[in-house]
Amino acid sequence: MNLEVETDEALGLRVASDAPQDSAHAPFQELYRRHGAMSERFIANRIHSSQVADVHQKTWTKAWDHAQQFTNGAGYIAWLLTIARNTITDEYRATARRPVEALVDGSSVVDHEQPVDQSLIDDEEDAALSDCLRQLDPIARNLVQGRLSGRGYGELCNELQLSESAAHKLYFKSKAQLQQCVEHKMT
């Protein structure tokens, strides 16, 4: 069946009935192809630019994880943007509880109020990050290091033999794992 001619709602229902099986991946990827850029713009208009990629990834991960909750009573876009809005709210709450910088370039991971010697703390953070990176499996490590060095998903997907959706999910989970690992080592 040609997914491009199906409505968003029909695709959403296919994902809802088949997730997490492999047969749900193609309709979900079609929904992402149709609405990924729009949902990213929606998020970008509401939060700081440094958080857009993370919140966008969390939104689509939640859409996949909770696909069974989609019903034909609402449009898929409305359902997706509700998830995005809730994810933005969750992000604001998490930031208010625990001020931690996003792991963007690896230069600083933990937010410090009044460090005694910033260079010692930076060295400790770098060592913790290096150790945590070594704990990742090689594909995840190469993906994270590639993204942090500015390489695009397309190039990395070809090199690592991953689909783009798998790469996005792996990057998001690996980044969260790294941040949690570094925070643990820094406490």
Side-chain angles (χ1 to χ4, degrees), residues 21-69:
Q21 300 171 34
D22 287 342
S23 59
H25 288 239
F28 189 74
Q29 287 176 339
E30 176 62 19
L31 286 165
Y32 182 81
R33 185 193 66 75
R34 291 179 188 181
H35 305 298
M38 177 273 304
S39 61
E40 188 170 28
R41 284 190 306 274
F42 176 86
I43 294 164
N45 287 327
R46 287 158 178 79
I47 62 173
H48 189 272
S49 61
S50 67
Q51 296 176 304
V52 171
D54 282 347
V55 172
H56 189 243
Q57 182 64 39
K58 286 178 185 178
T59 297
W60 282 92
T61 299
K62 287 179 182 180
W64 173 258
D65 291 343
H66 302 288
Q68 293 83 5
Q69 295 176 5

Side-chain angles (χ1 to χ4, degrees), residues 34-155:
R34 291 179 188 181
H35 305 298
M38 177 273 304
S39 61
E40 188 170 28
R41 284 190 306 274
F42 176 86
I43 294 164
N45 287 327
R46 287 158 178 79
I47 62 173
H48 189 272
S49 61
S50 67
Q51 296 176 304
V52 171
D54 282 347
V55 172
H56 189 243
Q57 182 64 39
K58 286 178 185 178
T59 297
W60 282 92
T61 299
K62 287 179 182 180
W64 173 258
D65 291 343
H66 302 288
Q68 293 83 5
Q69 295 176 5
F70 177 74
T71 63
N72 206 18
Y76 191 83
I77 294 173
W79 182 76
L80 177 67
L81 294 181
T82 299
I83 293 172
R85 189 176 57 248
N86 291 341
T87 304
I88 291 167
T89 302
D90 293 345
E91 195 69 19
Y92 279 131
R93 288 179 183 151
T95 302
R97 279 194 310 266
R98 184 183 42 139
V100 175
E101 296 175 10
L103 178 60
V104 175
D105 62 1
S107 61
S108 181
V109 179
V110 181
D111 184 25
H112 303 283
E113 293 178 13
Q114 290 285 335
V116 176
D117 185 353
Q118 188 63 46
S119 65
L120 289 176
I121 293 171
D122 289 345
D123 290 346
E124 187 177 352
E125 286 176 351
D126 290 345
L129 180 59
S130 294
D131 186 47
C132 291
L133 272 169
R134 282 192 295 274
Q135 293 176 24
L136 291 176
D137 69 75
I139 292 175
R141 182 173 48 249
N142 289 334
L143 178 63
V144 169
Q145 288 175 324
R147 288 295 298 145
L148 293 178
S149 68
R151 294 174 62 198
Y153 277 106
E155 176 185 356

